[in-house]
Amino acid sequence: MKHNVGSYDAGIRYVLGWLIVIWGVHTGNKWGFIALLPLITAGIGFCPAYCLFHVDTTAPDNHVAS
């Protein structure tokens, strides 16, 4: 499985995921479990939706051609 979630994207997913968890716990709402999606995709570095739409937020290789 090729990584398609970059570091900035993963950071945003972690922050939003934890905000949703906090909101779910604070309100007692079961929809807080939806936070698992951004937390898992950030943790493994792969998003199936990105794969479907051919999106890749990882940094390109910085190789210098010789």
Side-chain angles (χ1 to χ4, degrees), residues 11-29:
I12 291 169
R13 288 170 185 261
Y14 274 126
V15 170
L16 289 178
W18 282 111
L19 286 175
I20 295 170
V21 166
I22 292 168
W23 169 78
V25 169
H26 178 71
T27 61
N29 195 332

Side-chain angles (χ1 to χ4, degrees), residues 31-47:
W31 279 98
F33 284 109
I34 197 73
L36 291 176
L37 184 64
L39 290 174
I40 291 171
T41 56
I44 63 174
F46 178 77
C47 179

Side-chain angles (χ1 to χ4, degrees), residues 36-66:
L36 291 176
L37 184 64
L39 290 174
I40 291 171
T41 56
I44 63 174
F46 178 77
C47 179
Y50 278 10
C51 190
L52 288 173
F53 296 110
H54 304 286
V55 175
D56 188 355
T57 61
T58 58
D61 291 338
N62 293 325
H63 294 254
V64 177
S66 45

